[in-house]
Amino acid sequence: MVLGKTKQQLLAASDKVGTLHILEVPWTLRNISHGEVSSVSSYFEREDRRQEYQETRVSFHQQNKQKLEAEEAERKMAQPPEPTTEELEAAM
């Protein structure tokens, strides 16, 4: 089978069953629109900054949690132990 020169672009894909699907790729997906490269580039830059911010926040919260846990452990060590029931009864 010989296909003539067409501007049609096709995509062939199959599923698990083995059915072959032939899809036409639309013109808008084949060609870059005006400003698309800069839009996509700025999107990835924003995502990089967002990810860095998220990592900074996670790190901050982990450090803060460790600090609070250390302070709590120190406070528990500084407090005298609570008297047991026997000690309370003996004091009465």
Side-chain angles (χ1 to χ4, degrees):
M1 181 168 130
V2 177
L3 296 176
K5 292 184 179 181
T6 64
K7 293 188 179 187
Q8 188 179 34
Q9 297 222 350
L10 302 175
L11 173 68
S14 67
D15 57 18
K16 289 183 179 180
V17 180
T19 305
L20 180 65
H21 302 276
I22 300 177
L23 308 166
E24 181 180 359
V25 179
W27 182 87
T28 54
L29 294 178
R30 292 187 307 229
N31 298 302
I32 297 174
S33 64
H34 178 70
E36 185 175 7
V37 173
S38 63
S39 295
V40 171
S41 296
S42 66
Y43 169 77
F44 283 119
E45 289 170 8
R46 284 193 313 272
E47 282 299 305
D48 285 341
R49 288 193 303 269
R50 186 190 65 78
Q51 185 176 10
E52 289 170 2
Y53 174 76
Q54 288 295 104
E55 290 170 357
T56 303
R57 295 294 298 165
V58 167
S59 175
F60 170 78
H61 286 298
Q62 287 175 344
Q63 291 172 357
N64 196 24
K65 183 178 179 182
Q66 290 173 351
K67 181 181 174 185
L68 290 174
E69 288 173 350
E71 289 174 358
E72 182 66 25
E74 189 175 305
R75 190 171 30 250
K76 284 183 180 180
M77 295 297 287
Q79 292 177 350
E82 293 192 23
T84 63
T85 309
E86 293 83 21
E87 292 174 343
L88 289 174
E89 289 175 357
M92 289 186 180

